Amino acid sequence: MSSNGSPSKNEESEEYRAFAMLLESLRKVDELGDSIQKLRVRPASALAGDDASTPYETLSSQVETNIQGAVDNVRALSSLMLDAKALPAFAHFGLLRGALEMIGTGFWLLGPTSRDTRVLRSLQATLEGRRDSVNASNELARLSVKFPPNDPVQVMLEAQRDARPGLAGRSLGAPSIATRLAAAQEFCSEQPYTILGFWRLTSGATHGRRATLKDLLEHEILESTDTEIRTSMTSGVIVVANILRHVEVYLFDLTFLLLRRAGQG
């Protein structure tokens, strides 16, 4: 910052480079979103075997949904940022958080080398989704009915689990999101910051936690008088570009892993 309070040339140059990086990440992710729609699971591939063991909600469809969901969040971020006259203070953190969570969940599902582990995680994610849907419907209808232990989908998923001797009787309770994202890190390339680390930061900002916002947000003085100082908060293009760059790299890692498992090289 210069002596008169305006950005220095170095700061302006750094922000310019960050914005260029941000635009490049947005472009790459948008192109990825178009190409992933052409995914085909080859019959003899590892993913085809996974799908055969998870017929109710196939593993490939779960991971593909996670990739498309992450892409959708990034595309929404693009519209939000490029159409705005100034960077939003909070809104984009929810989009980045959603993308990170979907990418990490995709790695958690697809990453393990053991088919038994992949199938178990797929069934856990499916049951979690079913339970959340039933409980939400009951809540909307103002019913106090809990998720029934004899739910037909749960019974079906338990049968799919028990069809594999190595999984018979294993719990279909899914671990926490944080646990999944921590486990996901071993299946992607090493980057300066982890999926879980950025997810925690963006979650804190999304929930309006002041300690996190203090770390992430920059304060720009808009007007000062003898009695008050008005400020606005913006995350700064450098912070956003850095998180988005990690989202881009991790998203491509996940897509390449999906293509390999699908027998597409």
Side-chain angles (χ1 to χ4, degrees):
M1 189 74 70
S2 64
S3 59
N4 63 4
S6 60
S8 67
K9 289 184 178 180
N10 286 339
E11 288 173 323
E12 288 179 342
S13 177
E14 188 176 356
E15 289 192 355
Y16 179 85
R17 290 194 298 270
F19 192 71
M21 185 172 74
L22 182 145
L23 292 177
E24 182 69 1
S25 292
L26 293 175
R27 181 189 65 80
K28 288 181 177 179
V29 172
D30 186 55
E31 291 180 354
L32 178 67
D34 292 335
S35 64
I36 195 62
Q37 297 178 10
K38 304 172 185 177
L39 174 71
R40 297 292 182 272
V41 179
R42 293 184 177 175
S45 66
L47 196 55
D50 295 342
D51 286 352
S53 298
T54 55
Y56 177 73
E57 188 172 280
T58 61
L59 179 61
S60 65
S61 68
Q62 290 173 316
V63 177
E64 191 173 2
T65 296
N66 278 303
I67 292 175
Q68 290 289 3
V71 169
D72 192 59
N73 274 272
V74 173
R75 284 173 169 168
L77 177 69
S78 177
S79 297
L80 175 66
M81 296 190 69
L82 299 185
D83 292 343
K85 294 180 180 179
L87 288 178
F90 301 99
H92 55 284
F93 285 122
L95 296 170
L96 290 166
R97 175 183 184 268
L100 289 161
E101 186 169 319
M102 289 180 170
I103 292 168
T105 299
F107 276 121
W108 176 75
L109 287 165
L110 191 62
T113 55
S114 163
R115 171 162 293 149
D116 271 356
T117 303
R118 296 197 300 270
V119 168
L120 179 62
R121 290 180 177 185
S122 174
L123 297 177
Q124 288 174 335
T126 300
L127 182 57
E128 180 183 53
R130 170 67 174 179
R131 184 179 290 113
D132 287 348
S133 177
V134 170
N135 289 344
S137 295
N138 288 338
E139 181 68 28
L140 289 172
R142 303 208 175 237
L143 300 173
S144 60
V145 180
K146 299 293 184 180
F147 185 74
N150 61 343
D151 176 77
V153 173
Q154 177 169 332
V155 172
M156 181 192 309
L157 297 176
E158 289 171 343
Q160 292 176 16
R161 173 201 63 191
D162 294 341
R164 301 187 64 83
L167 297 181
R170 295 280 297 274
S171 171
L172 291 184
S176 69
I177 295 294
T179 299
R180 289 177 237 185
L181 301 190
Q185 201 63 41
E186 70 173 286
F187 308 118
C188 50
S189 61
E190 185 175 347
Q191 298 298 319
Y193 301 100
T194 64
I195 296 172
L196 178 59
F198 269 145
W199 178 81
R200 288 193 188 282
L201 280 177
T202 53
S203 293
T206 300
H207 294 308
R209 293 171 182 156
R210 296 181 63 84
T212 305
L213 293 171
K214 183 179 178 182
D215 290 336
L216 284 173
L217 302 183
E218 300 167 351
H219 291 72
E220 177 187 2
I221 297 176
L222 297 182
E223 180 181 344
S224 176
T225 68
D226 291 338
T227 58
E228 67 174 338
I229 298 176
R230 291 179 53 240
T231 66
S232 70
M233 292 190 296
T234 172
S235 67
V237 67
I238 296 171
V239 174
V240 178
N242 194 15
I243 299 175
L244 180 60
R245 171 64 174 165
H246 282 67
V247 167
E248 173 210 324
V249 172
Y250 287 136
L251 187 52
F252 272 85
D253 283 349
L254 177 58
T255 303
F256 292 152
L257 177 59
L258 179 65
L259 291 174
R260 289 197 299 272
R261 290 269 199 262
Q264 296 193 27

